[in-house]
Amino acid sequence: MARRRQIYEGKAKVLFEGPEPGTLVQYFKDDATAFNNKKKGVITGKGVLNNRISEYLMTRLGEIGVPTHFVRRLNMREQLVREVEIIPVEIVVRNIAAGTFSQRFGMAEGTQLPRSIVEYYYKSDELGDPMVSEEHVTAFGWATTQDLDDIMSMALRVNDFLTGLFLGVGLRLIDFKVEFGRLWQNDEMRIVLADEISPDCCRLWDTKTNEKLDKDRFRRDLGQVEEAYQEVARRLGILPEGGPGDVKGPKTLQ
Ligand code: UDP
């Protein structure tokens, strides 16, 4: 295959020009970063697993009518997506206190929140993704009030659906981050779920043991990082029982 033109390289993914206009290829790397790039590492096999996990979750969400940028998985590390204009706001939905939220409010990790809380962060590595309010988002023109209404209702639908889906496989969805983009089709714009949904951007705890099965294992040096990502994929039924070795071969692909 001809070498694709690289459009953008992020911390965990590379975007290439897609085979048709209006498409991109999303390549999932094994690189991991935390604390605004201060901590860097490699989680072997993470890209393969996140490609598969994100494909699975985006597909299930598409089936309940949440519009997404996902088209199809191409191979072990790549998926075809629709080209969107990313809204520079990270949407974090929280069900249970953890991470920076626990620190900010002096609330023990694991405390159930009175209801799901949605927060906005401005996507800026230089500024360390500062938390912003709806006022900032609309005043700076990153999104309109109508866009935010759509984003908020989609984010809460994603939360309800994923909470149930993960509970069914013995995982508690503590919190997660999603990104949305503008998809232009025949002069019409709609906002769709973009980026990825994987243990890189979700907190997932085992319902019985509270064991962390997500990127906090990397952030906090808890060990068994690869194994945690594999366990999430295995529970979702998208990794054969064979274990780590299987991740490298095409047999893991359905
Ligand atoms: N998150 C993310 N990217 C970011 C910041 C947060 O994917 O740049 C996710 C993170 O994995 C967690 C949720 O958003 O599931 C809430 O993260 P928090 O604000 O508590 O920050 P953290 O403690 O992860 O730095």
Side-chain angles (χ1 to χ4, degrees):
M1 196 192 294
R3 262 192 86 76
R4 298 190 180 107
R5 195 164 69 86
Q6 185 174 316
I7 307 279
Y8 172 82
E9 176 151 14
K11 286 171 269 186
K13 293 189 291 298
V14 187
L15 291 178
F16 295 96
E17 202 170 60
E20 302 130 41
T23 63
L24 296 175
V25 172
Q26 217 173 222
Y27 174 95
F28 288 74
K29 301 191 280 186
D30 286 347
D31 298 354
T33 63
F35 311 118
N36 197 30
N37 256 329
K38 287 190 204 73
K39 182 179 170 111
K40 289 188 181 152
V42 168
I43 304 174
T44 311
K46 172 174 81 88
V48 174
L49 291 162
N50 280 358
N51 185 25
R52 194 69 187 83
I53 293 170
S54 198
E55 171 199 22
Y56 179 77
L57 298 175
M58 291 276 184
T59 304
R60 297 286 86 78
L61 284 163
E63 285 165 2
I64 62 152
V66 175
T68 80
H69 74 157
F70 180 79
V71 180
R72 66 176 179 276
R73 185 166 52 80
L74 297 171
N75 55 48
M76 298 287 278
R77 286 186 184 269
E78 292 178 325
Q79 52 181 240
L80 184 69
V81 299
R82 285 186 214 291
E83 184 171 20
V84 300
E85 195 183 293
I86 289 285
I87 294 170
V89 179
E90 298 192 342
I91 318 295
V92 170
V93 184
R94 302 179 184 271
N95 301 306
I96 289 164
T100 56
F101 185 93
S102 286
Q103 290 166 14
R104 203 178 324 130
F105 295 104
M107 206 178 272
E109 284 212 313
T111 309
Q112 176 88 44
L113 300 176
R115 62 176 168 83
S116 302
I117 294 177
V118 180
E119 296 172 342
Y120 304 121
Y121 293 85
Y122 176 47
K123 259 172 83 74
S124 162
D125 284 340
E126 299 97 85
L127 302 175
D129 295 350
M131 186 156 88
V132 294
S133 72
E134 181 167 344
E135 278 288 286
H136 302 114
V137 176
T138 53
F140 295 139
W142 300 325
T144 65
T145 305
Q146 173 62 51
D147 293 340
L148 280 182
D149 282 353
D150 292 351
I151 286 171
M152 176 79 118
S153 65
M154 279 192 270
L156 290 174
R157 278 199 81 200
V158 170
N159 183 44
D160 285 348
F161 183 76
L162 292 186
T163 296
L165 186 148
F166 281 123
L167 257 188
V169 297
L171 293 169
R172 274 206 291 165
L173 180 60
I174 306 301
D175 56 29
F176 64 94
K177 183 268 299 182
V178 277
E179 294 182 24
F180 292 88
R182 292 176 209 285
L183 178 63
W184 294 92
Q185 277 171 327
N186 315 319
D187 277 350
E188 277 192 24
M189 187 278 287
R190 70 186 174 129
I191 294 180
V192 304
L193 184 62
D195 193 45
E196 68 174 289
I197 307 184
S198 71
D200 266 7
C201 40
C202 297
R203 284 196 170 93
L204 297 164
W205 296 0
D206 182 272
T207 42
K208 292 211 181 78
T209 64
N210 277 337
E211 187 192 1
K212 296 181 198 321
L213 293 168
D214 55 54
K215 205 166 100 176
D216 272 349
R217 300 206 72 84
F218 167 75
R219 291 190 191 98
R220 304 178 188 190
D221 296 320
L222 300 176
Q224 308 250 299
V225 189
E226 293 95 333
E227 290 79 358
Y229 283 66
Q230 277 158 17
E231 179 61 12
V232 173
R234 192 191 65 75
R235 291 198 193 186
L236 292 173
I238 53 180
L239 181 73
E241 295 296 324
D246 283 351
V247 180
K248 298 194 180 69
K251 284 206 181 73
T252 53
L253 307 189
Q254 284 180 356

